[in-house]
Amino acid sequence: KESSAASDVYKRQAHAHAPRAHAEQRARCAAHEQRDRRAAHRRVASHGGGELFQGGAGSGFLRRRGCCSGEAAPRRGRLAQTPRERGRAQAEQLVAQLLELKAEGNVAYQARDYSKAIEVYTRAVRLLPDLDDDDDESLHRLTPELLKQAAIILCNRSAAYMGEKKAVAALADAQLAVDYDSTNWKAHWRGGLAFMQMEPRLERSEKAIASFEATLLCTSLPASERDNVVRALEAAQYRLREGHDALDMPSMENCILS
């Protein structure tokens, strides 16, 4: 009986404390929400040059430095951009810069001023995002158009390097271009040409063949260029069999940039 009575007392006490526990939980949740709201407002203030107005919870007021405390700044339509929105906006700006530098570099290349073209393309390459960055904003910055233009810039610099007989640098750019956009046929094509420009070795001939075969598989390859790629593939296959350069490679004299 004593045990039963003690149990009843415990239940009554627990029941009496339950409303208070729920109230405390609600208070904690409200405090967390208020903290998050304040943090969002501070972000707005940091972008707009204002300070968070320390009014009531959820007031959302902002005030400028030097304004009277009771005067609220106009509410903004949105508190802050998401990582996706910031990344996309940065991508658009970056693409515009790349297009401008690409046009300047192409003019130098067409004039066969390869060193100038390389210098201009290099300025563009330095702007390219790192593919290994895995934060949200960086990932959203990698839009299809940005990846496309990045690959084109690298392909163009690869062509300029080949114009100066710098096959190793040309190959590095071509391979990186494939990382940015594997559908770009010129990325595979220039990689194969770079291997063929090097001193013949078994593994280089094999890799040149693989590059030219990948070029033929690209749906972006124009029909007018297909025969040229086939001839390059045959030259690489012949060199692999014979162990030396026996066929002339396609001329780079009339190379068309993107």
Side-chain angles (χ1 to χ4, degrees):
K1 291 181 179 180
E2 291 178 357
S3 175
S4 177
S7 177
D8 291 341
V9 170
Y10 175 80
K11 289 179 181 179
R12 284 196 298 273
Q13 289 176 341
H15 185 73
H17 286 300
R20 191 193 322 175
H22 289 311
E24 289 174 353
Q25 178 65 27
R26 286 195 297 271
R28 284 195 295 271
C29 290
H32 291 161
E33 290 176 358
Q34 185 177 9
R35 181 196 60 195
D36 293 341
R37 196 159 45 239
R38 285 198 300 266
H41 288 179
R42 288 193 192 97
R43 287 196 296 271
V44 175
S46 66
H47 286 294
E51 297 175 0
L52 181 67
F53 177 74
Q54 302 297 332
S59 64
F61 289 167
L62 296 174
R63 69 179 179 189
R64 299 285 178 178
R65 199 180 295 274
C67 292
C68 58
S69 60
E71 183 179 351
R75 292 182 65 95
R76 294 179 181 270
R78 303 187 64 175
L79 291 177
Q81 285 185 313
T82 65
R84 177 186 178 88
E85 291 168 335
R86 286 195 300 271
R88 293 303 172 97
Q90 292 170 4
E92 290 179 4
Q93 295 174 355
L94 184 50
V95 167
Q97 291 177 281
L98 294 180
L99 290 173
E100 183 177 344
L101 289 169
K102 182 180 73 172
E104 183 181 348
N106 288 0
V107 170
Y109 182 91
Q110 298 298 349
R112 300 191 182 182
D113 188 351
Y114 300 128
S115 61
K116 174 65 175 177
I118 290 170
E119 184 271 324
V120 177
Y121 292 141
T122 299
R123 280 156 49 196
V125 170
R126 288 173 181 157
L127 299 175
L128 300 183
D130 189 344
L131 293 174
D132 293 328
D133 285 346
D134 57 0
D135 61 276
D136 288 345
E137 193 169 313
S138 296
L139 291 174
H140 290 305
R141 195 183 305 138
L142 299 176
T143 61
E145 182 61 22
L146 177 55
L147 293 172
K148 174 184 174 181
Q149 293 303 324
I152 291 174
I153 290 287
L154 288 162
C155 283
N156 290 2
R157 191 172 71 166
S158 177
Y161 276 133
M162 279 192 278
E164 291 203 333
K165 308 300 181 185
K166 296 179 179 178
V168 174
L171 175 61
D173 275 0
Q175 291 176 330
L176 186 55
V178 172
D179 291 339
Y180 278 97
D181 183 7
S182 61
T183 67
N184 187 315
W185 70 273
K186 288 186 179 179
H188 302 283
W189 168 245
R190 300 214 193 288
L193 291 178
F195 277 120
M196 294 297 285
Q197 199 177 61
M198 297 177 186
E199 184 178 348
R201 287 185 183 175
L202 177 65
E203 65 275 12
R204 289 173 181 168
S205 297
E206 289 175 339
K207 290 178 179 178
I209 291 171
S211 295
F212 293 139
E213 288 177 340
T215 306
L216 290 172
L217 291 175
C218 287
T219 57
S220 59
L221 176 66
S224 59
E225 295 289 340
R226 191 170 187 83
D227 288 344
N228 204 28
V229 178
V230 170
R231 286 195 296 271
L233 175 60
E234 292 172 347
Q237 292 170 335
Y238 187 91
R239 188 171 83 166
L240 179 62
R241 289 195 305 269
E242 301 299 322
H244 60 80
D245 282 315
L247 296 178
D248 292 333
M249 287 300 299
S251 173
M252 291 287 293
E253 294 295 321
N254 299 316
C255 179
I256 299 176
L257 299 179
S258 298

